[in-house]
Amino acid sequence: MDTARALHPGSVVEDSRAVYRRVPRLRGANMNWWVWMDGADTIYTAFVTGDGHDVIVVEATPAGYTIEVQD
């Protein structure tokens, strides 16, 4: 919800739900979150980085997205 609010400051973000209630701390794990924003579901995906408690959160747009990782 914090990411949705940061990316869309003028939107009404009311609720979110996920398959997992807690984010697994396994590097590479990912999970989807459905966020209720401006009256519609928007999907966000979180990826665990393996660096402490850091995760990468991406908004899944209808056009899709690409994740590139460099070592």
Side-chain angles (χ1 to χ4, degrees):
M1 289 178 65
D2 290 341
T3 300
R5 288 183 178 125
L7 292 175
H8 305 279
S11 297
V12 176
V13 180
E14 299 180 272
D15 190 22
S16 68
R17 64 193 184 287
V19 174
Y20 301 110
R21 281 311 199 193
R22 299 182 71 191
V23 176
R25 296 295 177 198
L26 301 173
R27 182 179 182 164
N30 75 302
M31 62 285 319
N32 293 326
W33 298 80
W34 288 264
V35 178
W36 190 253
M37 188 168 60
D38 287 340
D41 274 331
T42 303
I43 300 172
Y44 287 83
T45 300
F47 297 92
V48 177
T49 65
D51 186 16
H53 294 293
D54 291 343
V55 296
I56 298 170
V57 179
V58 177
E59 181 178 346
T61 65
Y65 58 89
T66 301
I67 301 291
E68 295 182 22
V69 179
Q70 295 180 351
D71 289 332

